[in-house]
Amino acid sequence: MNVFGVDIGGSGIKGAPVDLERGALAEERHKVLTPQPATPDGVAGCVAEVVAHFGWTGPVGVTFPGVVTGSTIRTAANVDKSWIGVDAGSLIGDRLGGLPVTVLNDADAAGVAEMTFGAGRGRKGTVILLTLGTGIGSALFTDGRLVPNTELGHLELKGHDAETRASTRAKEDEDLTWEHWATRRLRKYLAHVEMLFSPELFIIGGGVSRKADKFLPLIKGIRAEIVPAELRNNAGIVGAAMATRTA
Ligand code: BGC
């Protein structure tokens, strides 16, 4: 059974039909650049372009980098603020000529995919997936069940919004070495999250998970196991597609 998944990110909007049996893309994904500013109309147009690329006419799952309740956007840290209060399901559904659209937070989508097909498969207890990118996204699971919209990227760390210190964007913007970023920023962030939730497992997702060998071995003193995500950059697309089944 194939369903379509779209992942809306701060820099790119990518999508593909997903094989839900295997939790893998059924075709090579198509990506377009996120319009700047990333307004509702601009982004919805890009989602429609990605879906049209495949001539898709079935249900579509869409991730969004902010809090989503029902299909309404509640926060927009790294996209245009005019998203707040928009019913993204209706907006995008209209652009897609009335196709059914399910919307969920991007990190929640990645987490659901990893728990079913990737690094979190079969893991009980408290598991936290963190996506490190433009921001920091989080997905919290207890015995495999998601607590949605946890937004742990916005915890306060030394008086700052944590994602402005520990995301990969912070590493790039401040030109930090792997060592500095891993030991002074990410480690402190993980220690803080561990203090609050005592998870058994951290799964590190986002594009940087491809380079896990450069920074995970540098992180000491965290009790929880820390592993890279396995679905890499496709976790959001797979999780978006999965959400069309559970909505
Ligand atoms: C947003 C989250 C999102 C994360 C990753 C944060 O700034 O508040 O909702 O999951 O970025 O995109």
mmCIF file of all heavy atoms in Angstrom, residues 155-176:
data_model
loop_
_atom_site.group_PDB
_atom_site.id
_atom_site.type_symbol
_atom_site.label_atom_id
_atom_site.label_comp_id
_atom_site.label_asym_id
_atom_site.label_seq_id
_atom_site.Cartn_x
_atom_site.Cartn_y
_atom_site.Cartn_z
ATOM 1 N N LEU A 155 13.455 24.450 25.025
ATOM 2 C CA LEU A 155 13.813 24.516 26.450
ATOM 3 C C LEU A 155 14.828 25.640 26.636
ATOM 4 O O LEU A 155 15.570 25.971 25.705
ATOM 5 C CB LEU A 155 14.461 23.185 26.886
ATOM 6 C CG LEU A 155 13.531 22.000 27.037
ATOM 7 C CD1 LEU A 155 14.351 20.734 27.271
ATOM 8 C CD2 LEU A 155 12.561 22.223 28.190
ATOM 9 N N GLU A 156 14.873 26.172 27.835
ATOM 10 C CA GLU A 156 15.844 27.242 28.072
ATOM 11 C C GLU A 156 17.180 26.642 28.503
ATOM 12 O O GLU A 156 17.229 25.778 29.368
ATOM 13 C CB GLU A 156 15.299 28.167 29.161
ATOM 14 C CG GLU A 156 16.146 29.402 29.346
ATOM 15 C CD GLU A 156 15.596 30.283 30.449
ATOM 16 O OE1 GLU A 156 14.368 30.500 30.501
ATOM 17 O OE2 GLU A 156 16.419 30.728 31.264
ATOM 18 N N LEU A 157 18.224 27.092 27.839
ATOM 19 C CA LEU A 157 19.565 26.594 28.142
ATOM 20 C C LEU A 157 20.448 27.817 28.389
ATOM 21 O O LEU A 157 20.655 28.620 27.465
ATOM 22 C CB LEU A 157 20.068 25.801 26.930
ATOM 23 C CG LEU A 157 21.133 24.747 27.118
ATOM 24 C CD1 LEU A 157 20.697 23.691 28.117
ATOM 25 C CD2 LEU A 157 21.453 24.088 25.776
ATOM 26 N N LYS A 158 20.920 27.980 29.601
ATOM 27 C CA LYS A 158 21.755 29.139 29.948
ATOM 28 C C LYS A 158 21.128 30.450 29.484
ATOM 29 O O LYS A 158 21.798 31.299 28.871
ATOM 30 C CB LYS A 158 23.120 29.013 29.293
ATOM 31 C CG LYS A 158 24.059 28.056 29.979
ATOM 32 C CD LYS A 158 25.424 28.250 29.407
ATOM 33 C CE LYS A 158 26.513 27.840 30.366
ATOM 34 N NZ LYS A 158 27.821 28.063 29.779
ATOM 35 N N GLY A 159 19.828 30.573 29.701
ATOM 36 C CA GLY A 159 19.153 31.816 29.341
ATOM 37 C C GLY A 159 18.826 31.971 27.867
ATOM 38 O O GLY A 159 18.344 33.021 27.443
ATOM 39 N N HIS A 160 19.118 30.930 27.063
ATOM 40 C CA HIS A 160 18.823 31.004 25.631
ATOM 41 C C HIS A 160 17.809 29.939 25.242
ATOM 42 O O HIS A 160 17.712 28.907 25.901
ATOM 43 C CB HIS A 160 20.083 30.737 24.801
ATOM 44 C CG HIS A 160 21.162 31.748 25.002
ATOM 45 N ND1 HIS A 160 21.227 32.916 24.290
ATOM 46 C CD2 HIS A 160 22.215 31.751 25.848
ATOM 47 C CE1 HIS A 160 22.282 33.607 24.686
ATOM 48 N NE2 HIS A 160 22.903 32.918 25.630
ATOM 49 N N ASP A 161 17.120 30.194 24.135
ATOM 50 C CA ASP A 161 16.287 29.174 23.509
ATOM 51 C C ASP A 161 17.267 28.080 23.039
ATOM 52 O O ASP A 161 18.179 28.363 22.256
ATOM 53 C CB ASP A 161 15.577 29.852 22.321
ATOM 54 C CG ASP A 161 14.560 28.960 21.652
ATOM 55 O OD1 ASP A 161 14.411 27.800 22.062
ATOM 56 O OD2 ASP A 161 13.930 29.437 20.698
ATOM 57 N N ALA A 162 17.098 26.842 23.539
ATOM 58 C CA ALA A 162 18.120 25.801 23.319
ATOM 59 C C ALA A 162 18.480 25.620 21.843
ATOM 60 O O ALA A 162 19.647 25.413 21.511
ATOM 61 C CB ALA A 162 17.655 24.482 23.910
ATOM 62 N N GLU A 163 17.490 25.711 20.951
ATOM 63 C CA GLU A 163 17.829 25.422 19.547
ATOM 64 C C GLU A 163 18.773 26.470 18.960
ATOM 65 O O GLU A 163 19.492 26.187 18.011
ATOM 66 C CB GLU A 163 16.574 25.242 18.672
ATOM 67 C CG GLU A 163 15.805 26.491 18.360
ATOM 68 C CD GLU A 163 14.664 26.238 17.364
ATOM 69 O OE1 GLU A 163 14.222 25.091 17.214
ATOM 70 O OE2 GLU A 163 14.229 27.221 16.747
ATOM 71 N N THR A 164 18.791 27.670 19.533
ATOM 72 C CA THR A 164 19.721 28.677 19.015
ATOM 73 C C THR A 164 21.160 28.382 19.446
ATOM 74 O O THR A 164 22.104 28.972 18.936
ATOM 75 C CB THR A 164 19.350 30.112 19.468
ATOM 76 O OG1 THR A 164 19.503 30.201 20.896
ATOM 77 C CG2 THR A 164 17.918 30.468 19.083
ATOM 78 N N ARG A 165 21.355 27.436 20.384
ATOM 79 C CA ARG A 165 22.701 27.083 20.861
ATOM 80 C C ARG A 165 23.156 25.727 20.316
ATOM 81 O O ARG A 165 24.316 25.552 19.981
ATOM 82 C CB ARG A 165 22.701 26.974 22.392
ATOM 83 C CG ARG A 165 22.158 28.165 23.104
ATOM 84 C CD ARG A 165 23.158 29.249 23.294
ATOM 85 N NE ARG A 165 24.292 28.800 24.087
ATOM 86 C CZ ARG A 165 25.437 29.465 24.186
ATOM 87 N NH1 ARG A 165 25.579 30.599 23.536
ATOM 88 N NH2 ARG A 165 26.422 29.001 24.911
ATOM 89 N N ALA A 166 22.203 24.768 20.252
ATOM 90 C CA ALA A 166 22.620 23.385 20.014
ATOM 91 C C ALA A 166 22.189 22.818 18.662
ATOM 92 O O ALA A 166 22.505 21.673 18.352
ATOM 93 C CB ALA A 166 22.085 22.494 21.141
ATOM 94 N N SER A 167 21.485 23.586 17.829
ATOM 95 C CA SER A 167 21.087 23.062 16.511
ATOM 96 C C SER A 167 22.303 23.040 15.588
ATOM 97 O O SER A 167 23.345 23.634 15.894
ATOM 98 C CB SER A 167 20.008 23.959 15.892
ATOM 99 O OG SER A 167 20.548 25.238 15.651
ATOM 100 N N THR A 168 22.160 22.388 14.446
ATOM 101 C CA THR A 168 23.280 22.409 13.503
ATOM 102 C C THR A 168 23.388 23.782 12.843
ATOM 103 O O THR A 168 24.450 24.165 12.386
ATOM 104 C CB THR A 168 23.162 21.297 12.443
ATOM 105 O OG1 THR A 168 21.866 21.340 11.887
ATOM 106 C CG2 THR A 168 23.383 19.943 13.046
ATOM 107 N N ARG A 169 22.283 24.519 12.846
ATOM 108 C CA ARG A 169 22.395 25.875 12.309
ATOM 109 C C ARG A 169 23.306 26.726 13.198
ATOM 110 O O ARG A 169 24.129 27.505 12.703
ATOM 111 C CB ARG A 169 21.028 26.543 12.206
ATOM 112 C CG ARG A 169 21.160 27.892 11.535
ATOM 113 C CD ARG A 169 20.037 28.810 11.906
ATOM 114 N NE ARG A 169 19.109 28.917 10.809
ATOM 115 C CZ ARG A 169 17.969 29.582 10.874
ATOM 116 N NH1 ARG A 169 17.590 30.153 12.000
ATOM 117 N NH2 ARG A 169 17.183 29.656 9.835
ATOM 118 N N ALA A 170 23.192 26.546 14.525
ATOM 119 C CA ALA A 170 24.072 27.278 15.439
ATOM 120 C C ALA A 170 25.524 26.902 15.165
ATOM 121 O O ALA A 170 26.413 27.763 15.140
ATOM 122 C CB ALA A 170 23.699 26.972 16.885
ATOM 123 N N LYS A 171 25.767 25.599 14.927
ATOM 124 C CA LYS A 171 27.136 25.147 14.635
ATOM 125 C C LYS A 171 27.671 25.863 13.396
ATOM 126 O O LYS A 171 28.799 26.376 13.389
ATOM 127 C CB LYS A 171 27.153 23.631 14.422
ATOM 128 C CG LYS A 171 28.517 23.095 14.026
ATOM 129 C CD LYS A 171 28.491 21.598 13.799
ATOM 130 C CE LYS A 171 29.879 21.090 13.438
ATOM 131 N NZ LYS A 171 30.426 21.686 12.213
ATOM 132 N N GLU A 172 26.812 25.914 12.353
ATOM 133 C CA GLU A 172 27.256 26.552 11.098
ATOM 134 C C GLU A 172 27.399 28.063 11.259
ATOM 135 O O GLU A 172 28.425 28.637 10.891
ATOM 136 C CB GLU A 172 26.258 26.246 9.976
ATOM 137 C CG GLU A 172 26.422 24.845 9.440
ATOM 138 C CD GLU A 172 25.155 24.314 8.792
ATOM 139 O OE1 GLU A 172 24.311 25.132 8.367
ATOM 140 O OE2 GLU A 172 25.016 23.074 8.728
ATOM 141 N N ASP A 173 26.377 28.708 11.825
ATOM 142 C CA ASP A 173 26.402 30.170 11.944
ATOM 143 C C ASP A 173 27.591 30.659 12.770
ATOM 144 O O ASP A 173 28.174 31.693 12.480
ATOM 145 C CB ASP A 173 25.114 30.692 12.593
ATOM 146 C CG ASP A 173 23.939 30.626 11.631
ATOM 147 O OD1 ASP A 173 24.161 30.256 10.458
ATOM 148 O OD2 ASP A 173 22.808 30.931 12.059
ATOM 149 N N GLU A 174 27.916 29.889 13.809
ATOM 150 C CA GLU A 174 29.012 30.332 14.679
ATOM 151 C C GLU A 174 30.325 29.660 14.310
ATOM 152 O O GLU A 174 31.335 29.841 14.987
ATOM 153 C CB GLU A 174 28.671 30.014 16.136
ATOM 154 C CG GLU A 174 27.458 30.765 16.649
ATOM 155 C CD GLU A 174 27.166 30.411 18.091
ATOM 156 O OE1 GLU A 174 28.050 30.545 18.945
ATOM 157 O OE2 GLU A 174 26.038 29.950 18.352
ATOM 158 N N ASP A 175 30.273 28.866 13.231
ATOM 159 C CA ASP A 175 31.468 28.203 12.739
ATOM 160 C C ASP A 175 32.167 27.383 13.839
ATOM 161 O O ASP A 175 33.383 27.472 14.025
ATOM 162 C CB ASP A 175 32.421 29.280 12.179
ATOM 163 C CG ASP A 175 33.329 28.698 11.121
ATOM 164 O OD1 ASP A 175 33.056 27.559 10.695
ATOM 165 O OD2 ASP A 175 34.311 29.360 10.758
ATOM 166 N N LEU A 176 31.374 26.605 14.584
ATOM 167 C CA LEU A 176 31.914 25.819 15.695
ATOM 168 C C LEU A 176 32.530 24.526 15.171
ATOM 169 O O LEU A 176 32.035 23.946 14.196
ATOM 170 C CB LEU A 176 30.796 25.467 16.692
ATOM 171 C CG LEU A 176 29.994 26.641 17.266
ATOM 172 C CD1 LEU A 176 28.846 26.120 18.140
ATOM 173 C CD2 LEU A 176 30.898 27.564 18.064
#
